[in-house]
Amino acid sequence: MGRRMPIMRRWPRVVSAMSRVIHVFRQPDRFVAGTVGEPGDRTFYLQASEDVRTISVTIEKQQVVVLAERLSSLLEEVASRFGADVPDDAPEDLVDLDPLTVPVEEEFRVGTMGLGWDADSSAVVIELLAITEGEVDETVVLDDTEEGPDAVRVFLSPAAARAFAERADRVVNAGRKPCPLCAEPLDPAGHICPRQNGYRRETDAGED
């Protein structure tokens, strides 16, 4: 995750550059976390849609957890610093419970994430950057520089950001249940529990 959470005051309208592509969703119809696959073997995605355009990126489960947590922290920050209208809870009518739009075609795998606040439009900005072999220069996060990994940049109202975080939490927690003894995920076929000296604990639970 990008260590900075900058407060962005102006955003250039450039959406792509010669050597990289930045997919910008200023008024997305959807921005959701979702999965493909069975519990225990799920692939996590973030998917943004606006008009006829849909972009899906692969993301690790723990990255979804971190993004939801950092998003909640950013919302609290902008509420206190700027008096932004931030709901305490996600509005029920904004929590998207529908499955991912198919076909789900991976644009790239997420490496670095960034968060910001666009004061001009009173919107949270989420940026997802493609994974690279080397470390990403922090100056390319939330920036339109020509050098750097491809990215998806999404603008969300505070209420929509709350709704995204709520769905993300539900998606993460919809996988395998934890073992009551060791807290490791339970597999449908059984579980080798270290608290039972390596004996297999049978279960009918199903998570990722």
Side-chain angles (χ1 to χ4, degrees):
M1 189 86 181
R3 286 180 293 177
R4 299 180 303 165
M5 290 201 306
I7 305 300
M8 308 304 296
R9 299 194 180 280
R10 295 188 62 187
W11 284 81
R13 294 192 175 275
V14 178
V15 298
S16 64
M18 186 177 301
S19 57
R20 71 190 297 223
V21 176
I22 304 176
H23 304 276
V24 178
F25 294 81
R26 291 187 176 275
Q27 295 182 312
D29 301 312
R30 295 186 82 197
F31 180 59
V32 296
T35 61
V36 172
E38 297 299 319
D41 190 28
R42 298 188 296 170
T43 300
F44 285 75
Y45 290 90
L46 296 182
Q47 189 176 77
S49 300
E50 186 174 334
D51 297 326
V52 298
R53 186 170 51 124
T54 298
I55 296 290
S56 303
V57 293
T58 310
I59 189 169
E60 296 296 329
K61 177 181 177 180
Q62 189 56 35
Q63 288 177 300
V64 178
V65 173
V66 171
L67 179 57
E69 291 175 348
R70 298 285 179 88
L71 195 51
S72 296
S73 297
L74 177 62
L75 288 172
E76 299 302 327
E77 180 183 349
V78 298
S80 62
R81 288 180 60 181
F82 300 100
D85 184 11
V86 176
D88 293 330
D89 300 301
E92 290 188 14
D93 61 323
L94 292 183
V95 180
D96 188 335
L97 301 179
D98 292 333
L100 295 173
T101 301
V102 293
V104 180
E105 299 177 347
E106 177 188 299
E107 185 72 20
F108 58 74
R109 180 176 292 274
V110 175
T112 302
M113 300 183 291
L115 290 178
W117 173 251
D118 179 17
D120 289 341
S121 60
S122 297
V124 172
V125 187
I126 299 173
E127 182 150 295
L128 312 164
L129 288 84
I131 194 168
T132 59
E133 292 184 2
E135 288 199 16
V136 174
D137 187 335
E138 287 190 1
T139 60
V140 309
V141 181
L142 298 168
D143 195 281
D144 289 308
T145 178
E146 294 186 5
E147 298 299 325
D150 290 351
V152 171
R153 184 180 297 159
V154 182
F155 290 69
L156 298 175
S157 69
R162 282 279 195 222
F164 169 84
E166 172 67 23
R167 169 169 170 140
D169 287 339
R170 295 188 189 189
V171 167
V172 166
N173 294 320
R176 291 172 292 169
K177 297 179 181 179
C179 173
L181 297 180
C182 69
E184 291 296 320
L186 291 168
D187 293 317
H191 167 64
I192 303 297
C193 180
R195 296 291 298 275
Q196 291 188 320
N197 296 321
Y199 288 107
R200 181 173 292 276
R201 178 182 178 85
E202 297 299 326
T203 176
D204 57 0
E207 179 196 346
D208 159 84

